[in-house]
Amino acid sequence: MSPLDISLADLIARLDEELPEANELARISEARLRAQTLSDLGDQLIDHYVSKAKQTGASWTEIGDAIGVSKQAAQQRHAPAAFERFTNLNRHSIVLAQEAARTYKHDSIGTEHLLLGLLGEPRGLAYEVLVAKAGSEQRVRDAIQEALPPAGEKALRGHIPFREETKEAIGQTRRASADLGHDWVGTEHTLLGLIRTAESSAAQILRTLGFTSEELHETVKAEITKRLAARDKQ
């Protein structure tokens, strides 16, 4: 018996219903994205209960035994880290960045991949800000495409590391959230983190599209204020 009230038939039926005109190849691509989202949600589910277990005093050895991995593997994968306060949408954008690097057979995740990840999450505020400024999603994609390194020869399996500038951008992302007094780290903060990493590939792309760090900060601040006000009226 499945522990979840969901079946493969349900997933297939929903995809077919939502993409009635798509051919089978297009459905494969969409199925891959949905499978990755399910995997990411599964990781977040485990992270939630690992955090609860740590709060009750469980050791990493005990948590590793519960997951079925070593103490070291459990600690490395589930210890609170850079993405602890990231929203689900922003975590998904990181997953999409990793998949973009894998698709282009790159051996590391650059800031340009993070930008692609933000563009792949249309529910995020970063996507809205990007498209509003650039005029279209395609213009943003074209700008990123021009900056991408040449495709590699062999796709990597498993973990793909972040480049140093990408680690810096993630740090700037957390600082952008703190600067705005927010207790979450959303896609909009990642966008701010990217342009604040001034020498990064993503920052150069954003400047090409007409963004400045100061203007972007004010745009994000205004949009969030507007959204919070609208929510309070509901």
Side-chain angles (χ1 to χ4, degrees):
M1 177 182 294
S2 170
L4 296 177
D5 186 19
I6 190 171
S7 69
L8 176 60
D10 293 332
L11 295 173
I12 292 172
R14 180 169 176 177
L15 194 154
D16 288 345
E17 179 182 349
E18 293 179 3
L19 300 176
E21 305 299 326
N23 61 31
E24 298 308 319
L25 293 177
R27 295 184 189 201
I28 289 174
S29 296
E30 180 63 21
R32 181 186 64 80
L33 289 174
R34 296 188 185 199
Q36 186 59 66
T37 299
L38 288 170
S39 177
D40 185 43
L41 287 173
D43 286 343
Q44 292 177 43
L45 177 65
I46 297 172
D47 287 346
H48 172 80
Y49 285 105
V50 166
S51 177
K52 293 287 187 182
K54 288 300 293 179
Q55 290 172 14
T56 63
S59 69
W60 282 112
T61 298
E62 292 171 322
I63 291 171
D65 289 342
I67 298 173
V69 299
S70 68
K71 167 188 172 181
Q72 291 79 10
Q75 191 168 12
Q76 182 177 10
R77 173 62 187 85
H78 298 284
F83 308 120
E84 184 178 10
R85 293 188 299 115
F86 276 43
T87 63
N88 289 342
L89 294 184
N90 207 14
R91 290 189 183 200
H92 186 223
S93 78
I94 299 294
V95 172
L96 294 177
Q98 182 183 42
E99 289 306 303
R102 198 183 309 280
T103 297
Y104 287 100
K105 301 178 182 178
H106 295 156
D107 59 5
S108 60
I109 301 172
T111 56
E112 65 275 19
H113 299 117
L114 291 187
L115 203 51
L116 274 175
L118 294 177
L119 201 61
E121 185 43 86
R123 296 171 295 173
L125 178 54
Y127 176 92
E128 293 185 20
V129 172
L130 280 167
V131 173
K133 181 72 171 182
S136 71
E137 178 183 324
Q138 191 59 50
R139 185 173 175 229
V140 183
R141 288 195 180 278
D142 290 343
I144 299 172
Q145 189 70 41
E146 290 180 9
L148 281 173
E153 296 182 357
K154 185 178 181 180
L156 295 182
R157 293 185 177 181
H159 175 70
I160 301 179
F162 292 112
R163 295 180 202 153
E164 286 306 313
E165 72 170 19
T166 311
K167 294 177 183 178
E168 180 185 349
I170 292 171
Q172 291 287 357
T173 293
R174 296 196 303 273
R175 282 189 282 276
S177 171
D179 289 347
L180 287 166
H182 298 155
D183 59 2
W184 75 92
V185 183
T187 61
E188 63 277 12
H189 301 118
T190 295
L191 192 58
L192 287 170
L194 289 173
I195 201 166
R196 287 184 176 190
T197 311
E199 301 304 316
S200 70
S201 177
Q204 294 174 36
I205 293 168
L206 291 170
R207 288 194 293 268
T208 297
L209 293 169
F211 287 98
T212 66
S213 183
E214 295 77 12
E215 178 193 11
L216 183 55
H217 177 90
E218 292 304 316
T219 298
V220 168
K221 183 178 178 180
E223 284 296 323
I224 292 176
T225 298
K226 185 168 64 176
R227 289 186 174 201
L228 292 177
R231 187 185 66 183
D232 290 342
K233 291 180 180 179
Q234 293 178 352

